[in-house]
Amino acid sequence: MSHSTWRAKNPIVSFRHAVEGIAHAFRTQRNMRFHTIAFSLVFLAGLILRLPRVEMLALVFCAALVLITEMFNTAIEATVDMITQSYHPAAKFIKDIAAGAVLISAITAVLVGAVVFWGAVRPETLSLRLIQPPTVPVFMGAFVLLLLLVLVGKIAGRKGSLLQGGVISGHSAIAFYLAGVIVFLVPQPAVALLALGLAALVAQSRVEAKIHTLREVVAGAVIALALAALVLKVPQWLGAHLPSPWFPHPK
């Protein structure tokens, strides 16, 4: 293979190669899957608890650091295995150092998360923060989380590509997430039915085009509506029902 074949011809090809690398790491590395799932749950908890933007950014930065070091560790292990398949003390030393970097980043992420969430559940501020209406960063954060869940499902399902096909319909998920936002925030049945109807038409178009099956568009719809409910309605319900004395009802 010539050297030129290893070069990306344009930025789009380079981006595709990068995405393929992330997908390969997720499919083949158990720790990568664990870190991704853990980050998704932590990010969801942050949205539900209405964490301030600075604290959410701290969580995202720590999660990204863990994922980056895990991918470097995977690349280093693959490089060492490509060079030698037999045991060598130097090879073990290299792999141990790479694994140690992942461990340090993971411990750092846990410590930062513990500090952030410990401060977030203080009784004097939690209930008041939860009953506040959701802001634009909450909507956008939930939307980004939805895209992450859809991509993870597509990668894990090993069907179609990241942009088309797959075990979860991204178009259906996005349409029903937007519909869910309208349903939960606009107290008008006619508007809610119209939003859900338009989302259903989007899902139907994916089935008729034979890009997705009925099960795949339903999966996207269920994930999107569940996420919208968790982020938009559950916090207000918790803020209104958390018991005293730790979480007094707002007057």
Side-chain angles (χ1 to χ4, degrees):
M1 182 179 293
S2 64
H3 179 69
S4 60
T5 58
W6 289 90
R7 297 178 180 176
K9 297 181 179 180
N10 56 62
I12 296 178
V13 176
S14 298
F15 178 79
R16 187 183 66 187
H17 290 333
V19 173
E20 289 175 352
I22 297 173
H24 178 75
F26 184 86
R27 290 192 185 104
T28 60
Q29 302 300 313
R30 180 182 59 185
N31 289 340
M32 186 71 175
R33 295 192 293 271
F34 172 79
H35 293 318
T36 303
I37 294 172
F39 165 65
S40 300
L41 294 176
V42 169
F43 193 73
L44 177 60
L47 291 174
I48 292 175
L49 294 177
R50 298 289 191 265
L51 292 181
R53 280 177 287 183
V54 174
E55 296 179 357
M56 288 293 289
L57 287 175
L59 295 177
V60 171
F61 177 81
C62 289
L65 179 63
V66 173
L67 295 178
I68 290 170
T69 53
E70 181 63 43
M71 293 183 68
F72 273 125
N73 179 46
T74 301
I76 291 172
E77 288 183 347
T79 303
V80 172
D81 291 339
M82 181 178 64
I83 296 174
T84 176
Q85 292 292 330
S86 59
Y87 175 81
H88 193 283
K92 178 182 181 302
F93 187 58
I94 293 171
K95 290 186 176 183
D96 289 346
I97 292 176
V102 178
L103 179 61
I104 292 174
S105 65
I107 293 175
T108 302
V110 170
L111 291 176
V112 172
V115 172
V116 168
F117 282 103
W118 180 262
V121 296
R122 288 182 298 179
E124 61 271 19
T125 60
L126 178 59
S127 60
L128 294 177
R129 191 170 63 247
L130 290 178
I131 63 175
Q132 298 299 319
T135 59
V136 173
V138 173
F139 295 134
M140 297 304 298
F143 182 74
V144 171
L145 180 58
L146 175 65
L147 295 181
L148 175 62
L149 294 176
V150 170
L151 290 177
V152 167
K154 288 177 178 290
I155 294 172
R158 298 175 180 269
K159 178 184 177 183
S161 65
L162 294 179
L163 299 180
Q164 188 173 24
V167 297
I168 300 176
S169 171
H171 288 77
S172 176
I174 293 173
F176 274 96
Y177 172 74
L178 297 176
V181 171
I182 295 174
V183 168
F184 293 128
L185 296 183
V186 180
Q188 297 182 13
V191 176
L193 289 175
L194 177 61
L196 291 173
L198 292 175
L201 289 177
V202 173
Q204 181 186 9
S205 69
R206 307 303 288 176
V207 175
E208 290 185 352
K210 297 183 179 180
I211 299 175
H212 288 286
T213 65
L214 178 61
R215 177 182 298 179
E216 292 164 356
V217 298
V218 170
V222 170
I223 292 173
L225 291 176
L227 181 61
L230 284 172
V231 173
L232 301 180
K233 298 301 293 184
V234 170
Q236 294 183 352
W237 184 89
L238 288 175
H241 292 84
L242 288 174
S244 301
W246 294 103
F247 303 101
H249 292 285
K251 296 181 180 180

